[in-house]
Amino acid sequence: MSGRTFFGHPWALATLFGTEMWERFSWYGLRAILATFLAASPAQQGLGLSQETAQAVVGVYGALIYLVALPGGWIADRILGARRSVFWGGFVIMLGHISMALPVSSPYFVWQGLLLIIAGTGLLKPNMSVMVGRLYPEGDDARRDAGFSLFYMSINLGAFFAPIVVGWLATGDRWHLGFGAAAVGMAFGLAQYIRGGRYLRGIGERPVHVQHRLFWRGAGIAAAAAIALGAWAATGTLTVDRLTVAITVVILIVPVAYFSYLLLGSHDLTEDERIRMKAYIWLFVAASVFWMIYDLAPSKLLFFARDHTDLSLFGIPIQPATTQSFNPLFIMIFVPVFAALWVRLGTRVSTPQKFAFALIVIGLSFVVMAVAAALAGPGRVSVWWLVLVYLIQVFGELSLSPVGLSVTTKLAPEAFKGQMLGVWFISLSVGDAVGGQTGRLGRVLSDPMYYLVLAAMAIVAGIALFMFARRLRVMMAEHHEPVIR
């Protein structure tokens, strides 16, 4: 094996860095134009959905992406292994983008493409992180953390360039050309992965626990769901709107069922673990409210950019999709700032306080959106309003997202350590699904009022969390003596 290194890390990290960067290019490229494509009229080569329905579709699409990370991780652990899961996941994602890029008028290939991308991402996304972690020996925590920081940069590089490139290619209703660029991006990622495969030997090659019988049981459940969906379609009452509502309801049931199963069963949990999980539920709810607003960027805020802003930065015309690049740009700038800030503050600021701050900040970003919407009216305002909104939102994300991952691993019961990161992703799933449904409020509320209602929900939730922060900190065992059984 070569002795080459990647910024002092194993060269295999370069392979995973490139693969993830191109996969994120394909994901964020599609995300940047999906809502506007769905809402474009057939004369503009779109699907002709209402903006509310398009927002709901984008919401459940993002929600399912995070939800399928759970079965994707399970398949890797028990059937394919992480390495093969990443390859086949990327291959299926590429097929999905190709399906959407076909220049045909039938919406069938669009829905088929989205389903393939969801399935492929479930296989690829969780297992990329697993492979990065396995590049380092036990106890090498400092280098592993640094490696994940580099890996995180690959995500934001892909997220930054994709909306610019894909948005430009899709100009003039050339949607399928934009989708084709996303397919090419995933193809580049697969080529990078295959070419660097020799550096990944021994990393995630075999499943941890082989259980093919459970795979077929899962396949049976999926088949039953497909049959039920087909039966619903046969009744003539199935619509895109109703389907998004049904999926949202199912997604809301998942965390309720999981936490009920965890807390109501014995599972050999200690009393201390049960107390910590009760505290975690409140953090989970807070995170869901945060993502409900934050992940409206590729739908509600994208429509605002298209319809109500002067799309020009420093005199340079930009596309509506380009506004989706503001977020990853600010993340790359401020990640080291917030990392240093949390180290400096130490234990003086608790996790609940950080979550509360994030909720208030995300709420304030929508207060700004309400002002922008009121000033725009039926006309337009400067795109710098959106720049300000995304800047404020990034402060909230960097107070909640990395902190949430950390606290999830800390509070997880010993018997559920391997599952709890998947549970954290369910908070994103819940937030995305519910956020997508909030578009229906636009039928009874003006745009400024819509933003203010969501802002009030987040700010009130943040204030409530601040009020109970001390109690939650005790429940999280930061000042709670473990109960010995």
Side-chain angles (χ1 to χ4, degrees):
M1 178 150 324
S2 170
R4 299 170 69 188
T5 61
F6 180 66
F7 294 101
H9 294 267
W11 189 255
L13 182 61
T15 297
L16 299 176
F17 182 101
T19 304
E20 180 73 0
M21 182 183 70
W22 284 112
E23 186 275 329
R24 290 291 88 183
F25 177 94
S26 71
W27 157 248
Y28 282 102
L30 168 65
R31 187 175 183 255
I33 63 172
L34 180 58
T36 44
F37 163 72
L38 294 172
S41 69
Q44 298 172 307
Q45 311 304 315
L47 291 195
L49 303 179
S50 68
Q51 287 194 13
E52 292 83 5
T53 302
Q55 180 175 331
V57 170
V58 172
V60 297
Y61 168 64
L64 290 173
I65 286 286
Y66 291 112
L67 192 65
V68 296
L70 282 173
W74 183 90
I75 289 172
D77 283 345
R78 290 165 173 80
I79 298 170
L80 293 177
R83 185 174 169 185
R84 283 189 293 172
S85 293
V86 167
F87 172 79
W88 287 113
F91 184 73
V92 172
I93 290 171
M94 184 180 68
L95 292 180
H97 287 300
I98 291 172
S99 179
M100 297 191 68
L102 294 174
V104 295
S105 58
S106 172
Y108 169 81
F109 293 99
V110 173
W111 304 124
Q112 173 182 264
L114 292 177
L115 286 174
L116 288 171
I117 294 167
I118 290 168
T121 306
L123 275 177
L124 182 145
K125 187 62 179 168
N127 295 303
M128 287 291 291
S129 299
V130 168
M131 293 185 69
V132 172
R134 291 179 180 174
L135 296 179
Y136 304 90
E138 288 293 330
D140 197 1
D141 292 339
R143 272 173 33 95
R144 182 182 292 105
D145 290 348
F148 269 106
S149 296
L150 276 173
F151 184 70
Y152 190 61
M153 184 63 70
S154 73
I155 296 172
N156 287 291
L157 282 173
F160 173 73
F161 287 108
I164 299 172
V165 174
V166 173
W168 174 74
L169 289 172
T171 304
D173 305 329
R174 298 176 301 189
W175 307 108
H176 298 292
L177 190 58
F179 298 144
V184 171
M186 192 64 253
F188 281 158
L190 280 175
Q192 170 92 4
Y193 190 68
I194 294 170
R195 186 181 176 204
R198 65 184 183 276
Y199 299 107
L200 296 171
R201 288 173 186 158
I203 306 296
E205 289 187 346
R206 297 182 180 277
V208 180
H209 307 290
V210 180
Q211 294 183 14
H212 292 285
R213 180 175 57 83
L214 290 180
F215 169 78
W216 290 112
R217 185 179 300 173
I221 294 173
I227 292 171
L229 189 61
W232 186 8
T235 66
T237 60
L238 175 62
T239 64
V240 174
D241 248 350
R242 289 171 179 169
L243 181 59
T244 62
V245 172
I247 293 173
T248 299
V249 170
V250 171
I251 288 171
L252 287 171
I253 290 172
V254 170
V256 173
Y258 184 85
F259 285 121
S260 298
Y261 163 78
L262 194 152
L263 291 175
L264 298 179
S266 64
H267 310 300
D268 294 323
L269 301 186
T270 66
E271 187 61 28
D272 194 55
E273 287 176 329
R274 289 183 185 278
I275 292 173
R276 291 203 300 265
M277 286 311 302
K278 289 176 182 177
Y280 182 77
I281 290 174
W282 291 106
L283 298 179
F284 179 96
V285 172
S288 298
V289 173
F290 177 88
W291 298 120
M292 177 186 71
I293 295 176
Y294 186 86
D295 278 350
L296 290 176
S299 54
K300 188 69 176 179
L301 299 194
L302 180 60
F303 287 131
F304 184 85
R306 184 193 65 181
D307 300 332
H308 296 295
T309 66
D310 293 317
L311 291 167
S312 174
L313 283 174
F314 304 108
I316 302 172
I318 62 172
Q319 301 302 318
T322 304
T323 60
Q324 301 297 291
S325 292
F326 299 158
N327 174 275
L329 175 63
F330 288 137
I331 288 176
M332 288 187 285
I333 292 172
F334 287 103
V335 157
V337 176
F338 272 76
L341 176 65
W342 298 142
V343 171
R344 185 175 183 84
L345 290 174
T347 58
R348 284 177 289 175
V349 179
S350 67
T351 297
Q353 288 173 327
K354 293 173 184 176
F355 271 55
F357 173 77
L359 283 171
I360 291 173
V361 165
I362 200 72
L364 291 176
S365 77
F366 262 35
V367 172
V368 174
M369 275 303 306
V371 174
L375 291 174
R380 295 179 180 270
V381 294
S382 170
V383 76
W384 286 102
W385 282 96
L386 279 179
V387 174
L388 176 59
V389 168
Y390 284 120
L391 176 62
I392 295 171
Q393 289 192 349
V394 161
F395 294 157
E397 182 191 3
L398 294 178
S399 301
L400 181 138
S401 185
V403 176
L405 287 169
S406 175
V407 77
T408 298
T409 58
K410 176 184 176 182
L411 299 184
E414 195 61 37
F416 291 85
K417 286 285 187 186
Q419 302 176 29
M420 285 302 292
L421 280 181
V423 174
W424 169 252
F425 285 123
I426 293 176
S427 73
L428 285 90
S429 186
V430 169
D432 280 14
V434 174
Q437 297 301 325
T438 64
R440 303 177 192 280
L441 294 174
R443 299 171 183 172
V444 295
L445 297 175
S446 65
D447 271 0
M449 282 305 300
Y450 169 86
Y451 293 121
L452 283 177
V453 166
L454 295 189
M457 290 174 60
I459 292 172
V460 169
I463 293 172
L465 199 57
F466 261 127
M467 292 174 61
F468 290 98
R470 181 173 297 181
R471 172 61 180 160
L472 287 175
R473 192 171 191 175
V474 173
M475 293 174 67
M476 289 165 55
E478 290 181 347
H479 300 299
H480 177 68
E481 292 298 322
V483 176
I484 301 175
R485 297 177 65 184

